[in-house]
Amino acid sequence: MSPIFVLITLEQKDKSSKTKIWLVFSGIILAYLPATHHIQTRWQQAKKKIVNKLKTGEFYGTHYQTLAFENIVITDTEYTHSKVDWHHHENPYFTYLLQGKLFESNKKESYYLEPGSLLFHNWQEAHFNIKPPEFTRGFHIEMNENWLSNFDIQTTDFEGSINLKNPLIKNIMNKLFIESKVNDQYSNLSIETFLLEIFSTIKETKERSSKKPNWIKKLQELLFEEQIDYSLKNLSSILGIHPVHLSREFNKHFGTSLGNYIRIIKVNQAFNLIALNQLSMTEVCYKCGFYDQSHFIKNFKQVYRTTPSKFLKKISIC
């Protein structure tokens, strides 16, 4: 479900009309924007005001967990504000939405975020947020300039905000989240390793995207459908290419094998459903397309090195 922009014309006393855009989010009217100005004008207006700058580890909400390593700060936060006006953060950071919904907009793009959404924000990227009246929880990883410099990561390669949809990147972020709950003497090293994997995968994905054949986008859509035959024969038939060609080319464009990619999509979905804590493990198992509990546990443990039940205990908010 995406946010709905509804045009409403209001008659003024002087008989002239005024058009506004109402942002309807999950059936609730949250805000309105002048239709002739829209987000870009909101940005121009914001630049004339003082845009609030948030310091390291600062987010609008209640922190359930804060981990401060050298050059990295991690927070697990419940968002408590229905609306947060234009602001920016002093460090680049990732936002991973675990529960609830959130609408976010910057000077160029707007995002409707739901559990499993992952964004990267470069430093000083101004944006505002609107939250429906429900429990909303986000996970953040901030890296300061020293950390980026130590690993020769150029922020110019990751300008603005990036909506990260690659299942491989989300899979690494899930592992990083689990590691943050372990929080022992080796966690800093593990988290840095995961972060370097994420930045590397973002860059590789960007390079591969410019060379994708037309059937790649269609295949990506097919793989996220819940009721589909994932066999090479069926997928290649739908795409109009030979099964051997699909098998050979898949790894080059997706960075892993077809079978592992599908597995990661399913365990990522299970990860997000478990984090929501609204379904039983049996319901999660079948909703994600696993044959039975044994198949579910085996695949989850293969990817995340823990069982679904132990994972739930690790991430539960006390």
Side-chain angles (χ1 to χ4, degrees):
M1 178 183 176
S2 299
I4 302 169
F5 293 93
V6 182
L7 291 178
I8 300 175
T9 301
L10 303 175
E11 294 296 329
Q12 297 181 323
K13 290 183 180 179
D14 60 359
K15 301 301 181 181
S16 64
S17 63
K18 185 177 182 181
T19 303
K20 296 180 178 180
I21 293 182
W22 293 84
L23 175 60
V24 182
F25 192 79
S26 296
I28 301 169
I29 295 177
L30 297 179
Y32 68 84
L33 306 171
T36 54
H37 295 202
H38 202 241
I39 301 295
Q40 191 65 28
T41 298
R42 282 289 299 273
W43 166 245
Q44 295 297 333
Q45 292 171 348
K47 287 200 295 185
K48 297 176 183 178
K49 302 178 182 179
I50 297 176
V51 178
N52 194 20
K53 178 180 178 180
L54 301 189
K55 297 180 180 179
T56 302
E58 187 179 0
F59 290 87
Y60 291 96
T62 302
H63 294 329
Y64 292 113
Q65 180 188 33
T66 299
L67 299 179
F69 301 110
E70 185 179 5
N71 303 321
I72 297 173
V73 173
I74 292 176
T75 53
D76 185 347
T77 307
E78 176 191 351
Y79 302 131
T80 54
H81 293 56
S82 60
K83 182 181 178 184
V84 176
D85 212 342
W86 289 97
H87 64 284
H88 65 83
H89 300 254
E90 68 176 357
N91 296 315
Y93 71 100
F94 292 93
T95 293
Y96 191 32
L97 199 67
L98 299 171
Q99 293 173 268
K101 299 179 180 68
L102 199 66
F103 175 77
E104 177 166 313
S105 185
N106 57 48
K107 62 181 179 179
K108 294 181 180 179
E109 296 179 287
S110 298
Y111 306 109
Y112 170 80
L113 308 178
E114 54 188 1
S117 295
L118 177 62
L119 296 181
F120 172 74
H121 297 275
N122 213 327
W123 71 291
Q124 295 189 349
E125 176 70 14
H127 56 279
F128 70 89
N129 305 100
I130 299 173
K131 183 185 80 68
E134 63 181 278
F135 180 81
T136 306
R137 178 185 178 191
F139 179 66
H140 316 98
I141 307 98
E142 293 182 74
M143 302 75 56
N144 66 21
E145 188 176 350
N146 289 335
W147 189 87
L148 297 168
S149 177
N150 288 342
F151 295 103
D152 197 27
I153 295 174
Q154 306 297 321
T155 55
T156 52
D157 292 335
F158 308 93
E159 293 183 352
S161 296
I162 308 173
N163 188 5
L164 301 167
K165 298 181 179 181
N166 186 336
L168 301 183
I169 294 173
K170 290 186 178 183
N171 180 248
I172 302 168
M173 181 58 70
N174 290 344
K175 293 176 181 178
L176 192 158
F177 177 72
I178 293 173
E179 184 61 43
S180 74
K181 301 307 175 186
V182 174
N183 189 24
D184 62 15
Q185 67 267 37
Y186 308 111
S187 291
N188 185 22
L189 177 60
S190 296
I191 286 168
E192 283 195 327
T193 302
F194 288 137
L195 278 174
L196 290 174
E197 280 187 63
I198 289 172
F199 278 112
S200 176
T201 307
I202 292 173
K203 196 169 183 180
E204 290 171 4
T205 302
K206 187 177 179 180
E207 291 170 354
R208 284 196 298 263
S209 64
S210 61
K211 306 171 185 177
K212 285 183 179 178
N214 295 331
W215 56 266
I216 290 293
K217 184 177 180 181
K218 176 63 177 176
L219 178 58
Q220 287 176 316
E221 295 171 355
L222 288 173
L223 295 178
F224 280 95
E225 291 184 13
E226 293 185 7
Q227 303 297 328
I228 189 172
D229 174 6
Y230 291 114
S231 67
L232 276 173
K233 181 179 179 181
N234 182 59
L235 292 173
S236 59
S237 175
I238 295 173
L239 297 170
I241 60 177
H242 196 278
V244 174
H245 181 70
L246 171 57
S247 178
R248 184 175 60 242
E249 293 293 302
F250 189 92
N251 197 304
K252 182 169 73 175
H253 294 290
F254 289 86
T256 189
S257 67
L258 175 59
N260 191 52
Y261 193 84
I262 294 169
R263 178 187 295 110
I264 287 174
I265 289 174
K266 290 181 178 295
V267 295
N268 282 357
Q269 183 185 9
F271 181 102
N272 295 132
L273 289 174
I274 294 170
L276 281 174
N277 199 19
Q278 295 176 350
L279 301 176
S280 69
M281 289 301 176
T282 301
E283 289 172 318
V284 171
C285 166
Y286 292 115
K287 187 172 180 62
C288 296
F290 294 101
Y291 303 134
D292 52 34
Q293 285 278 8
S294 176
H295 183 228
F296 170 41
I297 294 171
K298 179 181 178 181
N299 278 270
F300 195 92
K301 191 172 182 179
Q302 180 178 342
V303 174
Y304 294 120
R305 302 292 184 256
T306 187
T307 65
S309 297
K310 288 181 180 178
F311 166 63
L312 179 59
K313 289 179 182 178
K314 284 181 182 179
I315 68 169
S316 296
I317 299 170
C318 298

